[in-house]
Amino acid sequence: TIRHTRASVGIQLAGASSALDGDGSVGFGDILSVIGAWGPCAGCPADLDGNGTVGFSDILVIIGAW
């Protein structure tokens, strides 16, 4: 379950996790960063939905903010 609304996702991606790949914009590199962190990963930057696991829902967060 994704707990963030569309508006809060933009804030999160523009703030602390500001493009997971560090380039300052949301794009394909961020999807690759999520795939690279796939699996249990509580508290890591790629766990965008905050459920303790990096997975498909985190990719959807990236795509939604793209």
Side-chain angles (χ1 to χ4, degrees), residues 11-63:
I11 292 167
Q12 180 173 354
L13 291 176
S17 57
S18 183
L20 294 171
D21 64 359
D23 73 355
S25 65
V26 177
F28 188 69
D30 302 302
I31 292 174
L32 294 178
S33 294
V34 169
I35 292 170
W38 203 268
C41 193
C44 70
D47 183 17
L48 299 173
D49 63 4
N51 70 353
T53 301
V54 177
F56 188 68
S57 60
D58 300 298
I59 290 177
L60 293 177
V61 171
I62 294 289
I63 290 171

Side-chain angles (χ1 to χ4, degrees), residues 2-15 26 48 61 64-65:
I2 298 175
R3 296 180 299 162
H4 301 287
T5 65
R6 181 173 213 130
S8 67
V9 167
I11 292 167
Q12 180 173 354
L13 291 176
V26 177
L48 299 173
V61 171

